[in-house]
Amino acid sequence: MIALRRSFPATSREWRNFLLGVAFASPWIIGFLGFTLYPVGSALYYSFTRYDLVRDPVWIGVQNYVAFADDPDFKLVAGNTLWWVLISSPLGVLSAFLMALLLNSRIILRSFFRSIFFFPAIVPVVVTAFVWIFLLNIQYGAINSTLQSMGFKTIPFISSPDLMKWSLVVIHMWSQGAAMVIFLATLQDVPKSLYEAATVDGANALRRMWNITVPMVSPIILFNLVISFISGFQYFTLPWIMTQGGPSRSAEFYAIYLYRNAFQWFRMGKASALAWVLFVLILLFTYLIFRTSGRFVYYAGAAR
Amino acid sequence: MTPKLTRRGFLNLAGATAGLTALAACVPAPSGEAAAAEEGVTVQFWIFWTQPGRIHDQIMADPSLPDFMGDNTLEFRTGVANEARLAAVAGGTPPDIGALGYYLDFMARDVVVEVTDYVAASSVINEEDFLEINWGQTHYQGVQKGVPAIEGFVRRGFFYNARMVADAGLDPDVPPVTWDEAWIWHEALTQFDENNNLLQIGLDPYDAEGGVGPGNDGWGMADSFGFHYFDEDTKEFNLDNEEFAEGLEVWGDYIRLIGPDNLVGMRAVEGQGTWGGSFNAEVQACIIEGYWHCGETFNEVPEVAEQIRASWTPVPERRRGTKLQQGGGHMVQLFKDGNYKDEAWPVAEWLQGSYFCDQIFHNIGWLPSYKPYYDVADQNLFPGLAFVFQSVQEANYWGPQINCEIEDFVRVKYGEFREKVYRDEISGADAVAQMQDLCTKEYKAAGFA
């Protein structure tokens, strides 16, 4: 083994190749250093300061972090965000999976429906927000106008604190085109022989789904769940555009509170601390999911 | 023979080009003032509104502009987004002059220039030419750091749609002057269908100028109910007071009649930037607004503007007889990190000129707080406007302009707590007590205590 170890690069040719590799990778390296590592590092520093974007930061130690314990706003947005992540992420993945199942079956106009179901994934979030406002508004929304014209009471989908988050969940489930495509690709990769063997053994459709389909796509379920959790913690654009976190702060999520602190109240130090808490939370959450994933994810190629 | 570029040659060439580019970037540029002395410069002027963008070319066609700018060129940007403004200021690349909002934030954080010397040397801008309250608003701790411009004048009026009022069996010639009287109008004008779906609002007191505050337009509720929320000398909040609690309860009743959920839906019409849109859509009969309501409505929905009547903003019964008015509005500021402060100052003077003000007044409906202009402006150009001019002379109470460095935080909390009150989650008294506590803590945490 020792014979294989040597300093690298050793020869001038290896040096040249190394430098060439670095040169080709340099756009990414520069981007990573300048637009990821530096902001992340400076945010860590600012999180220990009182910084208002304009004046020099003042070092205040861990005050920003300690203050969260006594901050009712922090508790409110953390609660809202946790609710959102725990409810919307599984339902979103479920929705994508069910859509993929449907579109993987032999239905007429399958390609057309695949395009239609994928469509929300390519619509900009701002457009999505406005479309749903025009659908759900209690006075002017298409749904409520229809209800009203039929003599029914209108429903405050996005004006009631009790319904707002659930309306966002519905929109989230509707916009699962990207996850659906990944599921669809995986479903098409499940060997038909497994289904045939199960059918011969007398397994019904539900049993085939539970014992073959779900295990075979479980790595993709895990992938979509992790991605959904991460974006769920950072959820901002839709609730901000639709109601600015209202009504009654029911849709005031963590990222909205962070934005308010940074760009409305000039509390960039506190906002940086919020960002770091969020970063650590996401790390922990992701770690926990991966740690426990062995119990519910089946890898066909994994060593037994 | 065709010359061949080898891989080594290409890399050498690319490396040399990159190195030379980097070196060129390191050569110090001549300082702004030095460059200005040599030849004309381009002065950057930014505003956050989008409306003047519609008449950008007309504005820039002002024949008097070269008299102000000399050899210099003016680059006028409208509709500069919130994050872009802040990023420019924080990054040290602000415009030379601008109306970017955040006026007090910029003054308190010392990013804008004191203009006392410029004003002293100006033949156009003099204190006596402006409304006193608007002039005062450009000062922070006694130092002037801005000049009223573009949109100023007065901010309070009770505007109503005479046709809708008459249709409801009310007398448009006898508008309400107290909140009790306004309630009678509100009840008569708020209408539901047989399934209890909202059809029309009488008055949403939190809409438009009624709902503002605190900020550069004052605080609608504080002006009407008569409280000062912050003491600039002692740096102490006075939010926990009976008048504020009373205001939250009284206006809360207006919203309860409409239905809080209905209100959110109705306000979503204007929530996307069209302030006061429900009045223009004739689904709200009354609104507390600034003078611009007349001109803006006229330019957007002339048939609705024809129905506009105006009167004094209602007050509680205990303040009957109070004719309140409020100043404020906007200003231009010179930025410390701007390149050409001396060259930018004439822009502040040009903005008071009759050509510029005419364009803004006639096409958008805005007025400056510059007396030489509004003294000669057509007071009957838009329905309802005459009352506003008259109110400047007749007002017997001017709402205070209070400089509180965390006013935006107070404003957001005000929005949150008033909603809690009209949704019956909390009483007015509890709301003001909690706001007092939260704002005091925030003031300290933000480093201003």
Side-chain angles (χ1 to χ4, degrees), chain A residues 90-168:
Chain A
L91 287 177
V93 172
L94 180 68
S95 158
F97 181 57
L98 293 178
M99 281 193 286
L101 273 182
L102 184 70
L103 297 174
N104 195 41
S105 57
R106 289 192 184 122
I107 55 170
I108 54 164
L109 297 173
R110 191 163 66 169
S111 299
F112 171 74
F113 283 117
R114 281 181 180 175
S115 306
I116 291 291
F117 277 68
F118 181 68
F119 193 69
I122 58 168
V123 176
V125 184
V126 176
V127 178
T128 299
F130 278 97
V131 166
W132 281 97
I133 287 172
F134 291 133
L135 281 173
L136 300 179
N137 182 285
I138 190 169
Q139 261 84 41
Y140 308 102
I143 294 172
N144 276 315
S145 296
T146 308
L147 286 175
Q148 198 168 354
S149 66
M150 292 167 69
F152 293 108
K153 179 93 181 81
T154 51
I155 302 167
F157 295 110
I158 53 172
S159 11
S160 158
D162 298 330
L163 294 183
M164 178 63 193
K165 277 202 283 279
W166 287 107
S167 299
L168 289 172

Side-chain angles (χ1 to χ4, degrees), chain B residues 312-355:
Chain B
W312 298 101
T313 302
V315 291
E317 183 62 38
R318 61 182 163 77
R319 300 188 78 204
R320 182 184 279 275
T322 303
K323 296 178 173 179
L324 78 87
Q325 195 46 277
Q326 172 63 279
H330 299 272
M331 68 183 84
V332 285
Q333 295 175 309
L334 297 172
F335 289 87
K336 279 192 169 171
D337 285 337
N339 290 320
Y340 308 115
K341 297 169 202 55
D342 292 346
E343 291 75 11
W345 169 254
V347 176
E349 296 178 323
W350 169 65
L351 293 172
Q352 317 300 337
S354 58
Y355 180 92

